[in-house]
Amino acid sequence: GVFCRLFFLFYQLTGAELSLNDVNIFQNASRVGSSCFVFLTGFGHAMYFYARNRCRPGRVMQVLFRMNLTAFFLCATMNQPYVLYYVCPLHSVAFLITYGVIRIDQSVNYDRYGLRMKLAALALVIFVVWDCNLGIFDLVFSPFFSRTPPYPGVANGSLWEWYYQSHMHHWIFFVGIVYAINYPVTSLLLSKIEIMSNSGMALVKGTIGLSFVIALSMWIKGPFSNSTYYFGRMHPYFAFIPVLALVFFRNSTSFLRQHHLKALKTIGNLSLEIFLFHHYFFLSDHGDSILVLIPGYPKCNVIVSTLLLFLVARTTHNLTTILTGMMFPVDDDNKCVRSLAFFLIGALAFYCAAFALDAMGLAGTTNLCVGILILGIVTYKTVLDMTWTEYKNVGRQLATDLPAEETIIAKASPPIIGTMVILVLGISCHILSLAGASGGKLPLERTCEAYANDGTWAPVSACNEYQRGLDTRELAVGAYYRDCEDAAVMHWGWRETAPNLKCQFRSRSSSEIQKKLSHRKIIFIGDLMVRELYNALCRLLGDHTAGAYDATASDHSDKSNRIGNIHLEYKWAPLAFDQVSKMKEVRTKGNAGMKSPDLIVIGGGTLDRLHVWATDEDQASHNVAVQKLSKELDFASAPAIWCTPTTVNTPALSNEEKRNQMNEMTISEVRKMYRELEVESSANFVLDGPSYSRGRVSESYDGILYPKAVYDAGIQIAANSFDWLLPPADSEDDLFEPPLTGLLGTLSLGLMMVCLSMIGLFFLDGYYGFSYLPSLFVRRSDSHKRIYQETRTASAVMPNDLFEEALVPYHQRLKLPVHNLRAGSGASRRNKKQDSERGVEMSQQDSDILSLLDNDSLLGNQSISRRSNISR
C-alpha cells in the first residue's frame, strides 16, 4: 500500500504517465494502496475489540479524534470541504461500522456463530446501501454531505465525492473484519502447513500461491487495465484479490514474517499525515500543479519539499498522538467526554473570535500571527499546568528525580523557541516568494495584460529515453529516422515575470478551458487568421478534427460548433467594413432578446491592405471603417479581444502584387494605423500576432497562414486572458446538476461479494475460499489419505476442521469465554501435549499482533503511561 501511494505521488510530481491503452495505472495503483489501508482499519480494530472484549466509548472518541484532528484544522484554516480529505471520513466510517457490529448484542460475540451471524447481516446491509440503487445511501449520508455546488477538488459536490470514494472501498474493510475473526484459524492452518514434509508444504503453499497469481493476472488484465471510471466501478468487488494476495505472500514464510523494511514502516506510521499534507508541500490547485519553492531547480525543489513534508508529518503525528493520549484515555470515559466537550467549546469560541475579527476588519496577517503566538503560549502554559502532576508521578515510577516546580528557564524557553521558529518560517516563506516561489495556478489579474504576449518559441527534445520507451511500449516504434540532436520540437513559453507581479502564465488544459467556458457563447469575427484561431480553440476544447484540410469546404464561409454546453461561432469578415457590419449584427440580435455572446474575438487588416489601399479614396474609406470599428468595440455587449495580423513571410507570398501590397513592412503600417485609430485601446485585450509568430516565420507556407501549433499558441495566450475577461458567472451554482448517487453499484457483483463473504464467515477462511483449494490435490484418489499422513495433523486440513482447535486455546490465553465455542459434549478433544506444543508457537504470533494493538499502531498512540510500563 505504501509503495502504491509513493508511486502515485511521484507520478503527480513528475507529470509522467505510465499507461496501457490510455489507462492511468498509477492512479489505479493508488486506489489499491488506499484499499490496503482500509483493509487494515477493519482488521486492526476488529482484532482489538474481539481480543480485548472491550467496547468502551473512550476508545471510539480516541480513534475518531486522532484520525480527524489534523483534517479538522486543515478544513478550518484552508477553507476546504471535509470530503476533500476523504481518507478521514472513509476510515472513520469503517471504524464506526466495525465498532457498531461488535458492540451490538456484545454477549453473543463469543458464541460459535453469534458474531458471524451479525457480520452476515452487516454484509447484507452493505449490499443494500451501496450495491442496490434504492436511495438508501442518500437517506443515510445526505445529512452529513450535501449536494453542494462544485468546489475546487470536489467537482461534483460533496455527496457525490463521498459516494464515489466510499463506494470504491465499501467491501474491503469488511474483508479485513472477516480476516480478523478468522485470524486464529488462519494462523493455526499456516502452522500446520509448515510442519509438513517439504513436498507437502510446497504443494499446499504452491497451490494457494498459484491460485492467487492466476486471480491477480485476471484482475490485472480485467478491472486494473481499464479507465479510471470503469476501475472505480469494479474495484470494490475485486479489491480483495490484490490485498489478500499481498497478505498471503507477505506471510508465506517465517523469514518474511520476521523481517521488514524500517523505512516503509516509518512511512506507514505517517501515512495519514503524509496524505493530508502532500497536497500542500508537493502539489497546488488540488493536484493540478506543483508547488515551486526553488524556481528553476526542480530536483532541489523535490528534495526540499520531501524533507519539509516528512518533518511536518512526523511532528504532527507525535503531537496528535500525545494529545490523544492525554485527552482521551481509553479507560476513563468521563475524562473523554469532558475533553470532547472542552474541545468543541474551544473550537466554537475560536470560530466566533474569527468572525468577530473579520467583521471588525482586523483579520490581517499581522494580527493573526500575533494572535497565534499568544494563543500558542497560553495553550502551552495551560497544558503544562494540567499535566505537571502526572509527569512527576511518571518520574517517580521510573525512579527519576524531578524538581518540585519548573525553573523560569524551563518555563520560558519553549515559548521563546516556538516564537523564533514561527518567525524564521515566516521570513523564509517571504524570501522564497520574492525569489519566485509559487503556490500554483492563481487566477491572473488585469494588471498581467501587459505581459501576456511576452514569450518565445523554445526547442524541447522529443527524442529522450523516456519517450523512446513510451513509443516502444505503445506504438511499437524502436528506431528513429534521425539523431536525437536534431529531434527538437518548438514549444511556446512565456518569459518569467517578477514574483511580486503574480503573473504566472501557463498552458491551459482542455478540462480547465471547458470549465471556464461552460455555458458560454464565443463569437469569432475576421479573416483567415481569426478562422484559424477559432479552429485552435475547438481543438483545445476537444474537437481534434477542427482545422483539418478539406478541399470541399469553403474558406470564406461562416462556421459554428457546439462542444458540450459551449457554443462557438465564426463569421467570415475579411475587411474592416465587414467586421463593422458583423459587430452591428451581433449587437442588434442582443437588443432583440437573443442570447448575446460572452466573448468576441475579432481581427483583420491584412486583406484590407491588399484590396482597399490602391487609391486615396480607398484609403479614406478604410480609415472611416476603422474608426467605426473602434466605436463598435467601445459599445460591444461583451468583452472583445482584438487580434493583430501575424508576421508576414514576404518571400512566400504567391505573386508580385501580394509581395508589394502585403509584405511585412506594409502590414506593420496597418498595425500602427489601427493602434492610432484606437482600435486596440477600445478592445479589452490585444492578442499580438507578431509575438507568437515571429519565431516561426519561415514555416508560413503561403506567407500569411502558419502551422496549427502557432495558432494553438495564440489561443493559449488568449486563454490566459480569460481569467480577467471572463470572471465566474453568478449563475454557475444554479446551473450545477450533481450526478445521481447509486449509479456505480453493480447488483450481480454485489451478490458475488455477499456469497464470498459467507464463505469467509461460515467456512472460517480469511482468504475467502483460497485456503480450500489445496484440498483438491492433497488427497490420494486410491486411499483417500493425504500425502502428509505421517504428521499428527493429518485429520485437520481445511479451515472448517480447525474451529475448536484454534479458537479454544486462543480464547483461553486471552481469558475470553470458551464454553459456547464447542459443538457439543461429544466433540473431539485434542491431547494436551499437542495443544501445548502448538500453543507456544501461536502465543508468539498472538503476542506480536496484540502488542501492536496495545500500542495502538493503527493510531500511533504511545501514551506516557504505556511508555512507563514498558520501561519498568
Side-chain angles (χ1 to χ4, degrees), residues 393-422:
N393 294 334
V394 172
R396 296 191 186 100
Q397 294 173 2
L398 298 176
T400 303
D401 294 332
L402 296 175
E405 296 292 340
E406 275 194 304
T407 63
I408 297 178
I409 296 177
K411 289 182 178 181
S413 49
I416 295 175
I417 294 174
T419 303
M420 293 177 61
V421 169
I422 293 176

PDB file of all heavy atoms in Angstrom, residues 393-422:
ATOM      1  N   ASN A 393       4.555  12.093  38.643  1.00  0.00           N
ATOM      2  CA  ASN A 393       4.247  10.725  39.058  1.00  0.00           C
ATOM      3  C   ASN A 393       4.954   9.704  38.177  1.00  0.00           C
ATOM      4  O   ASN A 393       5.461   8.689  38.668  1.00  0.00           O
ATOM      5  CB  ASN A 393       2.736  10.487  39.027  1.00  0.00           C
ATOM      6  CG  ASN A 393       2.012  11.333  40.071  1.00  0.00           C
ATOM      7  OD1 ASN A 393       2.594  11.712  41.098  1.00  0.00           O
ATOM      8  ND2 ASN A 393       0.747  11.625  39.827  1.00  0.00           N
ATOM      9  N   VAL A 394       4.993   9.977  36.878  1.00  0.00           N
ATOM     10  CA  VAL A 394       5.711   9.077  35.977  1.00  0.00           C
ATOM     11  C   VAL A 394       7.191   9.059  36.314  1.00  0.00           C
ATOM     12  O   VAL A 394       7.844   8.022  36.296  1.00  0.00           O
ATOM     13  CB  VAL A 394       5.485   9.498  34.507  1.00  0.00           C
ATOM     14  CG1 VAL A 394       6.392   8.695  33.576  1.00  0.00           C
ATOM     15  CG2 VAL A 394       4.047   9.315  34.121  1.00  0.00           C
ATOM     16  N   GLY A 395       7.737  10.212  36.664  1.00  0.00           N
ATOM     17  CA  GLY A 395       9.143  10.261  37.033  1.00  0.00           C
ATOM     18  C   GLY A 395       9.436   9.433  38.267  1.00  0.00           C
ATOM     19  O   GLY A 395      10.463   8.758  38.353  1.00  0.00           O
ATOM     20  N   ARG A 396       8.528   9.459  39.237  1.00  0.00           N
ATOM     21  CA  ARG A 396       8.733   8.615  40.418  1.00  0.00           C
ATOM     22  C   ARG A 396       8.682   7.137  40.064  1.00  0.00           C
ATOM     23  O   ARG A 396       9.440   6.329  40.587  1.00  0.00           O
ATOM     24  CB  ARG A 396       7.674   8.951  41.462  1.00  0.00           C
ATOM     25  CG  ARG A 396       7.767  10.371  42.005  1.00  0.00           C
ATOM     26  CD  ARG A 396       6.877  10.553  43.225  1.00  0.00           C
ATOM     27  NE  ARG A 396       6.841  11.932  43.660  1.00  0.00           N
ATOM     28  CZ  ARG A 396       5.857  12.764  43.367  1.00  0.00           C
ATOM     29  NH1 ARG A 396       4.828  12.336  42.630  1.00  0.00           N
ATOM     30  NH2 ARG A 396       5.888  14.015  43.790  1.00  0.00           N
ATOM     31  N   GLN A 397       7.757   6.772  39.149  1.00  0.00           N
ATOM     32  CA  GLN A 397       7.669   5.374  38.748  1.00  0.00           C
ATOM     33  C   GLN A 397       8.937   4.911  38.053  1.00  0.00           C
ATOM     34  O   GLN A 397       9.347   3.759  38.158  1.00  0.00           O
ATOM     35  CB  GLN A 397       6.461   5.172  37.819  1.00  0.00           C
ATOM     36  CG  GLN A 397       5.129   5.408  38.515  1.00  0.00           C
ATOM     37  CD  GLN A 397       3.967   5.379  37.539  1.00  0.00           C
ATOM     38  OE1 GLN A 397       4.166   5.151  36.356  1.00  0.00           O
ATOM     39  NE2 GLN A 397       2.764   5.601  38.045  1.00  0.00           N
ATOM     40  N   LEU A 398       9.567   5.822  37.330  1.00  0.00           N
ATOM     41  CA  LEU A 398      10.801   5.484  36.624  1.00  0.00           C
ATOM     42  C   LEU A 398      12.038   5.736  37.477  1.00  0.00           C
ATOM     43  O   LEU A 398      13.152   5.643  36.972  1.00  0.00           O
ATOM     44  CB  LEU A 398      10.902   6.299  35.338  1.00  0.00           C
ATOM     45  CG  LEU A 398       9.794   6.064  34.303  1.00  0.00           C
ATOM     46  CD1 LEU A 398       9.979   7.014  33.123  1.00  0.00           C
ATOM     47  CD2 LEU A 398       9.797   4.621  33.827  1.00  0.00           C
ATOM     48  N   ALA A 399      11.833   6.052  38.740  1.00  0.00           N
ATOM     49  CA  ALA A 399      12.949   6.324  39.659  1.00  0.00           C
ATOM     50  C   ALA A 399      13.819   7.466  39.155  1.00  0.00           C
ATOM     51  O   ALA A 399      15.040   7.436  39.222  1.00  0.00           O
ATOM     52  CB  ALA A 399      13.781   5.061  39.875  1.00  0.00           C
ATOM     53  N   THR A 400      13.177   8.495  38.622  1.00  0.00           N
ATOM     54  CA  THR A 400      13.895   9.662  38.108  1.00  0.00           C
ATOM     55  C   THR A 400      13.595  10.859  38.998  1.00  0.00           C
ATOM     56  O   THR A 400      12.434  11.115  39.322  1.00  0.00           O
ATOM     57  CB  THR A 400      13.466   9.971  36.671  1.00  0.00           C
ATOM     58  OG1 THR A 400      13.708   8.817  35.874  1.00  0.00           O
ATOM     59  CG2 THR A 400      14.260  11.133  36.109  1.00  0.00           C
ATOM     60  N   ASP A 401      14.626  11.562  39.405  1.00  0.00           N
ATOM     61  CA  ASP A 401      14.445  12.730  40.252  1.00  0.00           C
ATOM     62  C   ASP A 401      13.982  13.912  39.402  1.00  0.00           C
ATOM     63  O   ASP A 401      14.676  14.340  38.482  1.00  0.00           O
ATOM     64  CB  ASP A 401      15.762  13.092  40.962  1.00  0.00           C
ATOM     65  CG  ASP A 401      16.174  12.005  41.946  1.00  0.00           C
ATOM     66  OD1 ASP A 401      15.256  11.317  42.465  1.00  0.00           O
ATOM     67  OD2 ASP A 401      17.383  11.852  42.182  1.00  0.00           O
ATOM     68  N   LEU A 402      12.813  14.437  39.733  1.00  0.00           N
ATOM     69  CA  LEU A 402      12.270  15.590  39.038  1.00  0.00           C
ATOM     70  C   LEU A 402      12.110  16.726  40.036  1.00  0.00           C
ATOM     71  O   LEU A 402      11.760  16.505  41.194  1.00  0.00           O
ATOM     72  CB  LEU A 402      10.915  15.255  38.405  1.00  0.00           C
ATOM     73  CG  LEU A 402      10.944  14.194  37.296  1.00  0.00           C
ATOM     74  CD1 LEU A 402       9.527  13.889  36.848  1.00  0.00           C
ATOM     75  CD2 LEU A 402      11.780  14.676  36.126  1.00  0.00           C
ATOM     76  N   PRO A 403      12.333  17.937  39.591  1.00  0.00           N
ATOM     77  CA  PRO A 403      12.168  19.072  40.513  1.00  0.00           C
ATOM     78  C   PRO A 403      10.699  19.241  40.898  1.00  0.00           C
ATOM     79  O   PRO A 403       9.785  18.872  40.148  1.00  0.00           O
ATOM     80  CB  PRO A 403      12.678  20.263  39.695  1.00  0.00           C
ATOM     81  CG  PRO A 403      12.524  19.842  38.268  1.00  0.00           C
ATOM     82  CD  PRO A 403      12.770  18.370  38.251  1.00  0.00           C
ATOM     83  N   ALA A 404      10.488  19.813  42.083  1.00  0.00           N
ATOM     84  CA  ALA A 404       9.113  20.022  42.549  1.00  0.00           C
ATOM     85  C   ALA A 404       8.385  21.009  41.658  1.00  0.00           C
ATOM     86  O   ALA A 404       7.198  20.856  41.373  1.00  0.00           O
ATOM     87  CB  ALA A 404       9.128  20.526  43.998  1.00  0.00           C
ATOM     88  N   GLU A 405       9.064  22.024  41.181  1.00  0.00           N
ATOM     89  CA  GLU A 405       8.461  23.010  40.281  1.00  0.00           C
ATOM     90  C   GLU A 405       9.450  23.308  39.153  1.00  0.00           C
ATOM     91  O   GLU A 405      10.656  23.133  39.305  1.00  0.00           O
ATOM     92  CB  GLU A 405       8.127  24.302  41.041  1.00  0.00           C
ATOM     93  CG  GLU A 405       7.088  24.125  42.123  1.00  0.00           C
ATOM     94  CD  GLU A 405       5.709  23.800  41.572  1.00  0.00           C
ATOM     95  OE1 GLU A 405       5.469  24.084  40.368  1.00  0.00           O
ATOM     96  OE2 GLU A 405       4.886  23.253  42.325  1.00  0.00           O
ATOM     97  N   GLU A 406       8.918  23.768  38.049  1.00  0.00           N
ATOM     98  CA  GLU A 406       9.766  24.120  36.914  1.00  0.00           C
ATOM     99  C   GLU A 406      10.541  25.408  37.200  1.00  0.00           C
ATOM    100  O   GLU A 406      10.034  26.311  37.856  1.00  0.00           O
ATOM    101  CB  GLU A 406       8.916  24.330  35.663  1.00  0.00           C
ATOM    102  CG  GLU A 406       8.610  23.053  34.916  1.00  0.00           C
ATOM    103  CD  GLU A 406       8.073  23.373  33.537  1.00  0.00           C
ATOM    104  OE1 GLU A 406       7.077  24.103  33.461  1.00  0.00           O
ATOM    105  OE2 GLU A 406       8.655  22.887  32.553  1.00  0.00           O
ATOM    106  N   THR A 407      11.737  25.473  36.656  1.00  0.00           N
ATOM    107  CA  THR A 407      12.516  26.705  36.757  1.00  0.00           C
ATOM    108  C   THR A 407      12.001  27.720  35.743  1.00  0.00           C
ATOM    109  O   THR A 407      11.262  27.390  34.807  1.00  0.00           O
ATOM    110  CB  THR A 407      14.001  26.415  36.503  1.00  0.00           C
ATOM    111  OG1 THR A 407      14.149  25.923  35.168  1.00  0.00           O
ATOM    112  CG2 THR A 407      14.522  25.367  37.482  1.00  0.00           C
ATOM    113  N   ILE A 408      12.412  28.972  35.922  1.00  0.00           N
ATOM    114  CA  ILE A 408      11.980  30.030  34.998  1.00  0.00           C
ATOM    115  C   ILE A 408      12.495  29.759  33.595  1.00  0.00           C
ATOM    116  O   ILE A 408      11.782  29.970  32.594  1.00  0.00           O
ATOM    117  CB  ILE A 408      12.486  31.391  35.506  1.00  0.00           C
ATOM    118  CG1 ILE A 408      11.844  31.711  36.865  1.00  0.00           C
ATOM    119  CG2 ILE A 408      12.178  32.481  34.498  1.00  0.00           C
ATOM    120  CD1 ILE A 408      12.330  33.008  37.467  1.00  0.00           C
ATOM    121  N   ILE A 409      13.724  29.261  33.495  1.00  0.00           N
ATOM    122  CA  ILE A 409      14.290  28.973  32.168  1.00  0.00           C
ATOM    123  C   ILE A 409      13.493  27.876  31.480  1.00  0.00           C
ATOM    124  O   ILE A 409      13.183  27.949  30.281  1.00  0.00           O
ATOM    125  CB  ILE A 409      15.773  28.578  32.293  1.00  0.00           C
ATOM    126  CG1 ILE A 409      16.578  29.758  32.848  1.00  0.00           C
ATOM    127  CG2 ILE A 409      16.328  28.126  30.951  1.00  0.00           C
ATOM    128  CD1 ILE A 409      18.048  29.448  33.073  1.00  0.00           C
ATOM    129  N   ALA A 410      13.129  26.834  32.250  1.00  0.00           N
ATOM    130  CA  ALA A 410      12.371  25.735  31.663  1.00  0.00           C
ATOM    131  C   ALA A 410      10.993  26.196  31.203  1.00  0.00           C
ATOM    132  O   ALA A 410      10.461  25.703  30.202  1.00  0.00           O
ATOM    133  CB  ALA A 410      12.237  24.603  32.674  1.00  0.00           C
ATOM    134  N   LYS A 411      10.385  27.130  31.918  1.00  0.00           N
ATOM    135  CA  LYS A 411       9.064  27.623  31.531  1.00  0.00           C
ATOM    136  C   LYS A 411       9.117  28.553  30.323  1.00  0.00           C
ATOM    137  O   LYS A 411       8.221  28.541  29.475  1.00  0.00           O
ATOM    138  CB  LYS A 411       8.428  28.367  32.711  1.00  0.00           C
ATOM    139  CG  LYS A 411       7.989  27.475  33.852  1.00  0.00           C
ATOM    140  CD  LYS A 411       7.333  28.307  34.943  1.00  0.00           C
ATOM    141  CE  LYS A 411       6.848  27.417  36.090  1.00  0.00           C
ATOM    142  NZ  LYS A 411       6.191  28.200  37.161  1.00  0.00           N
ATOM    143  N   ALA A 412      10.172  29.366  30.248  1.00  0.00           N
ATOM    144  CA  ALA A 412      10.209  30.394  29.213  1.00  0.00           C
ATOM    145  C   ALA A 412      10.813  29.925  27.897  1.00  0.00           C
ATOM    146  O   ALA A 412      10.454  30.437  26.831  1.00  0.00           O
ATOM    147  CB  ALA A 412      10.999  31.600  29.730  1.00  0.00           C
ATOM    148  N   SER A 413      11.723  28.954  27.953  1.00  0.00           N
ATOM    149  CA  SER A 413      12.434  28.586  26.730  1.00  0.00           C
ATOM    150  C   SER A 413      11.528  27.987  25.650  1.00  0.00           C
ATOM    151  O   SER A 413      11.674  28.352  24.464  1.00  0.00           O
ATOM    152  CB  SER A 413      13.594  27.637  27.051  1.00  0.00           C
ATOM    153  OG  SER A 413      13.175  26.585  27.860  1.00  0.00           O
ATOM    154  N   PRO A 414      10.574  27.081  25.932  1.00  0.00           N
ATOM    155  CA  PRO A 414       9.741  26.560  24.829  1.00  0.00           C
ATOM    156  C   PRO A 414       8.942  27.629  24.096  1.00  0.00           C
ATOM    157  O   PRO A 414       8.932  27.636  22.855  1.00  0.00           O
ATOM    158  CB  PRO A 414       8.831  25.540  25.529  1.00  0.00           C
ATOM    159  CG  PRO A 414       9.596  25.108  26.728  1.00  0.00           C
ATOM    160  CD  PRO A 414      10.311  26.340  27.188  1.00  0.00           C
ATOM    161  N   PRO A 415       8.243  28.574  24.800  1.00  0.00           N
ATOM    162  CA  PRO A 415       7.544  29.623  24.039  1.00  0.00           C
ATOM    163  C   PRO A 415       8.481  30.493  23.208  1.00  0.00           C
ATOM    164  O   PRO A 415       8.143  30.880  22.089  1.00  0.00           O
ATOM    165  CB  PRO A 415       6.853  30.447  25.133  1.00  0.00           C
ATOM    166  CG  PRO A 415       6.722  29.523  26.287  1.00  0.00           C
ATOM    167  CD  PRO A 415       7.945  28.670  26.241  1.00  0.00           C
ATOM    168  N   ILE A 416       9.667  30.789  23.771  1.00  0.00           N
ATOM    169  CA  ILE A 416      10.612  31.609  23.006  1.00  0.00           C
ATOM    170  C   ILE A 416      11.092  30.877  21.762  1.00  0.00           C
ATOM    171  O   ILE A 416      11.150  31.438  20.657  1.00  0.00           O
ATOM    172  CB  ILE A 416      11.809  32.008  23.907  1.00  0.00           C
ATOM    173  CG1 ILE A 416      11.330  32.924  25.039  1.00  0.00           C
ATOM    174  CG2 ILE A 416      12.900  32.673  23.078  1.00  0.00           C
ATOM    175  CD1 ILE A 416      12.414  33.274  26.037  1.00  0.00           C
ATOM    176  N   ILE A 417      11.409  29.595  21.930  1.00  0.00           N
ATOM    177  CA  ILE A 417      11.866  28.803  20.781  1.00  0.00           C
ATOM    178  C   ILE A 417      10.751  28.695  19.739  1.00  0.00           C
ATOM    179  O   ILE A 417      10.992  28.831  18.528  1.00  0.00           O
ATOM    180  CB  ILE A 417      12.330  27.410  21.243  1.00  0.00           C
ATOM    181  CG1 ILE A 417      13.577  27.537  22.130  1.00  0.00           C
ATOM    182  CG2 ILE A 417      12.605  26.511  20.045  1.00  0.00           C
ATOM    183  CD1 ILE A 417      14.018  26.229  22.743  1.00  0.00           C
ATOM    184  N   GLY A 418       9.521  28.461  20.185  1.00  0.00           N
ATOM    185  CA  GLY A 418       8.396  28.366  19.256  1.00  0.00           C
ATOM    186  C   GLY A 418       8.180  29.662  18.498  1.00  0.00           C
ATOM    187  O   GLY A 418       7.921  29.662  17.280  1.00  0.00           O
ATOM    188  N   THR A 419       8.300  30.790  19.204  1.00  0.00           N
ATOM    189  CA  THR A 419       8.150  32.096  18.538  1.00  0.00           C
ATOM    190  C   THR A 419       9.241  32.307  17.502  1.00  0.00           C
ATOM    191  O   THR A 419       8.977  32.775  16.379  1.00  0.00           O
ATOM    192  CB  THR A 419       8.204  33.217  19.586  1.00  0.00           C
ATOM    193  OG1 THR A 419       7.178  33.003  20.560  1.00  0.00           O
ATOM    194  CG2 THR A 419       8.004  34.570  18.924  1.00  0.00           C
ATOM    195  N   MET A 420      10.468  31.950  17.844  1.00  0.00           N
ATOM    196  CA  MET A 420      11.569  32.101  16.896  1.00  0.00           C
ATOM    197  C   MET A 420      11.368  31.214  15.670  1.00  0.00           C
ATOM    198  O   MET A 420      11.638  31.630  14.538  1.00  0.00           O
ATOM    199  CB  MET A 420      12.897  31.770  17.588  1.00  0.00           C
ATOM    200  CG  MET A 420      13.295  32.762  18.684  1.00  0.00           C
ATOM    201  SD  MET A 420      14.820  32.274  19.530  1.00  0.00           S
ATOM    202  CE  MET A 420      15.963  32.302  18.156  1.00  0.00           C
ATOM    203  N   VAL A 421      10.881  29.992  15.888  1.00  0.00           N
ATOM    204  CA  VAL A 421      10.647  29.080  14.752  1.00  0.00           C
ATOM    205  C   VAL A 421       9.602  29.661  13.812  1.00  0.00           C
ATOM    206  O   VAL A 421       9.751  29.646  12.578  1.00  0.00           O
ATOM    207  CB  VAL A 421      10.216  27.693  15.259  1.00  0.00           C
ATOM    208  CG1 VAL A 421       9.704  26.841  14.105  1.00  0.00           C
ATOM    209  CG2 VAL A 421      11.376  27.000  15.947  1.00  0.00           C
ATOM    210  N   ILE A 422       8.501  30.204  14.372  1.00  0.00           N
ATOM    211  CA  ILE A 422       7.451  30.789  13.534  1.00  0.00           C
ATOM    212  C   ILE A 422       7.983  31.988  12.755  1.00  0.00           C
ATOM    213  O   ILE A 422       7.698  32.162  11.567  1.00  0.00           O
ATOM    214  CB  ILE A 422       6.244  31.179  14.401  1.00  0.00           C
ATOM    215  CG1 ILE A 422       5.571  29.922  14.969  1.00  0.00           C
ATOM    216  CG2 ILE A 422       5.239  31.995  13.602  1.00  0.00           C
ATOM    217  CD1 ILE A 422       4.428  30.206  15.901  1.00  0.00           C
TER     218      ILE A 422
END
